[in-house]
Amino acid sequence: EDRMTATAGFKVSGEIVIGAAAAPVSTVLPAIAGTVQQGQTLTAWPGMWTTGAAYGYQWQEDDGGWTNITGAAGPTFVPGAGQVGNALRVIVTATNAAGSASATSAPTVVTAGV
């Protein structure tokens, strides 16, 4: 009846080798979505990482040098009057059981205060 059947058996030998856990490594840098305007929400995309991780965020502004914005430590940020007119960026820190690493977004385009 034009049918064939086959049976295969496999035997695995040797030790199971599990590699050491690795800290995250950024493969695509974080990015910022939105327009820098007072009262408008900016959203950080964490980028892409080699391993699963939890993310932490720190927004910074360039006001004559990059400085952390106090209280701006989440995936979204609403610029106030003091930040409009300055470039902004976000540093994303990825953490897993093996360690942590940080990656920085490109800065936003500087726009006139609105």
Side-chain angles (χ1 to χ4, degrees):
E1 297 191 20
D2 295 337
R3 286 192 207 184
M4 297 181 84
T5 60
T7 303
F10 297 94
K11 181 178 180 183
V12 177
S13 63
E15 285 185 46
I16 297 174
V17 177
I18 299 174
V25 174
S26 174
T27 58
V28 177
L29 291 176
I32 298 171
T35 303
V36 181
Q37 292 181 344
Q38 185 175 346
Q40 297 295 312
T41 300
L42 299 174
T43 302
W45 175 64
M48 297 181 73
W49 299 81
T50 55
T51 61
Y55 302 114
Y57 300 85
Q58 179 59 62
W59 292 84
Q60 294 185 324
E61 68 176 314
D62 184 4
D63 189 16
W66 290 106
T67 57
N68 290 344
I69 300 170
T70 303
T76 61
F77 173 66
V78 179
Q83 285 89 34
V84 175
N86 294 334
L88 303 175
R89 68 183 186 184
V90 66
I91 298 172
V92 176
T93 301
T95 304
N96 66 14
S100 63
S102 296
T104 304
S105 71
T108 59
V109 176
V110 176
T111 58
V114 177

